[in-house]
Amino acid sequence: MEEALLPLAMTSDPRPFNQQLPEPPDPRCVLEPQDNPELAPALVCALCCCFGIIYCCFGYRCFKAVMFLSGLLSGALVIFLLCHKERVLETQLSLEVSAGIALGIGLLCGLVTMLVRSVGLFLTGLLLGLTLGAGALLSTEPIYQPPSAWVPAGGLVGLALLGALLTLRWPRPFTVLGTALLGAAVLVACADYFLEGLALGSRLGQRLQALPALPPLCWYSWVLLGTWPALGALGALAQWKLMDEEHGGHANVVLSHQRRHLQLLRIRQQEAKWHRTSPGVGLCEGSYRRQLSPNTRNPADGLAPSYLQSLREHQLGPGSQGTAPHTVLDLDSDCGSTVPLTTPSGSTQT
């Protein structure tokens, strides 16, 4: 009896017949950096990397510069999008004209945020809230799908306003946190451009539009997204370390100024005490001896004692030596010695 031959079904996938063959990798998740990136976007990304490092590590230390850059970039980006995407005065502006208008208005916004501290803090809080909202949208993709585009938009606006209010209430900690997270986000976005052509940025736009049935992110996208909070934490720690060193140096300077001020006060008190003491008492008691200037000395101080004695005898006459009282003349301005102008009668007779 001949065995019946079953029909053979041909399929394009050989894995059901050979289970030992490995599953071919998804071509979307093969990490292939850009071979020849365009020059202008590459330069912009390199410049943004420098700004991101400054934001992440020196945000609070370079407060004025960071506020100026925040106002400049935010104002220029918003105005550029409005001028380039929308029609202004019934005409479509070219790229160069839109960039010029955006740069001018961005400079004005940067000056306002740098000079007005409250405006700069408000903008820093807004950026902090927007950064946290964008990270939350990307990280919750596998577990939550927004039903409408108003949900992510409302969440971003609410977080931005909350961050602005908190930054105005507690400027120092939230400025450190906001600049560190924003700088880390800029660095991650630049790495995303060079590695996968802004896949995370495209996915963020799709999440804001609440598009359904999105393909899952690749493994390296999740790695980049995970480095964002790590870089933010490192940047915040670096800023706190720099602030502690600056505060310690400032405290040492204040202490040195206080010590110098106390020394000056003591010297002035001693000088005032010396000036309040009478010259005669002070000199004779020996508390403070000071030499008089040559202009304030009496001219008689420089005369010889013998000349003064002969002058006294000439005035009193030769017969009045025995009855003349002893007159004492101070010959030393420092209350040193006293010399009698006339000698006793007993000594003259001998």
Side-chain angles (χ1 to χ4, degrees), residues 254-319:
V254 170
L255 287 177
S256 63
H257 282 299
Q258 289 179 352
R259 291 173 182 173
R260 188 178 302 175
H261 185 64
L262 288 176
Q263 291 177 357
L264 290 176
L265 285 178
R266 290 173 182 174
I267 293 173
R268 289 173 183 175
Q269 288 177 358
Q270 291 178 0
E271 290 180 353
K273 184 177 180 181
W274 292 338
H275 284 302
R276 286 196 302 267
T277 306
S278 60
V281 175
L283 292 176
C284 295
E285 289 180 354
S287 61
Y288 176 68
R289 292 177 172 268
R290 59 186 180 90
Q291 296 291 337
L292 296 176
S293 60
N295 296 329
T296 60
R297 288 177 177 268
N298 194 347
D301 296 340
L303 299 178
S306 58
Y307 176 75
L308 294 174
Q309 184 178 359
S310 62
L311 182 61
R312 182 66 177 173
E313 291 177 354
H314 178 72
Q315 291 178 354
L316 296 177

Side-chain angles (χ1 to χ4, degrees), residues 318-343:
S320 61
Q321 293 180 357
T323 61
H326 295 284
T327 305
V328 179
L329 179 65
D330 186 6
L331 298 179
D332 192 0
S333 63
D334 290 340
C335 295
S337 60
T338 57
V339 178
L341 293 179
T342 58
T343 58

Side-chain angles (χ1 to χ4, degrees), residues 138-336:
L138 290 175
S139 59
T140 57
E141 179 185 354
I143 59 176
Y144 176 71
Q145 296 295 330
S148 173
W150 290 104
V151 175
L156 285 179
V157 173
L159 284 175
L161 292 177
L162 179 61
L165 294 177
L166 291 176
T167 306
L168 288 175
R169 179 62 182 86
W170 294 285
R172 183 173 178 177
F174 282 94
T175 300
V176 171
L177 181 62
T179 53
L181 289 178
L182 182 60
V186 172
L187 292 176
V188 169
C190 294
D192 179 48
Y193 171 77
F194 286 111
L195 291 178
E196 49 182 355
L198 287 179
L200 287 177
S202 301
R203 181 55 57 91
L204 179 61
Q206 294 171 358
R207 291 281 290 171
L208 286 174
Q209 297 175 10
L211 297 179
L214 294 175
L217 289 173
C218 297
W219 61 270
Y220 47 82
S221 299
W222 289 109
V223 170
L224 285 177
L225 189 60
T227 56
W228 168 59
L231 288 177
L234 291 177
L237 290 176
Q239 291 192 46
W240 280 110
K241 182 66 175 177
L242 289 175
M243 283 192 300
D244 290 339
E245 293 179 356
E246 182 181 2
H247 181 70
H250 181 69
N252 293 331
V253 172
V254 170
L255 287 177
S256 63
H257 282 299
Q258 289 179 352
R259 291 173 182 173
R260 188 178 302 175
H261 185 64
L262 288 176
Q263 291 177 357
L264 290 176
L265 285 178
R266 290 173 182 174
I267 293 173
R268 289 173 183 175
Q269 288 177 358
Q270 291 178 0
E271 290 180 353
K273 184 177 180 181
W274 292 338
H275 284 302
R276 286 196 302 267
T277 306
S278 60
V281 175
L283 292 176
C284 295
E285 289 180 354
S287 61
Y288 176 68
R289 292 177 172 268
R290 59 186 180 90
Q291 296 291 337
L292 296 176
S293 60
N295 296 329
T296 60
R297 288 177 177 268
N298 194 347
D301 296 340
L303 299 178
S306 58
Y307 176 75
L308 294 174
Q309 184 178 359
S310 62
L311 182 61
R312 182 66 177 173
E313 291 177 354
H314 178 72
Q315 291 178 354
L316 296 177
S320 61
Q321 293 180 357
T323 61
H326 295 284
T327 305
V328 179
L329 179 65
D330 186 6
L331 298 179
D332 192 0
S333 63
D334 290 340
C335 295

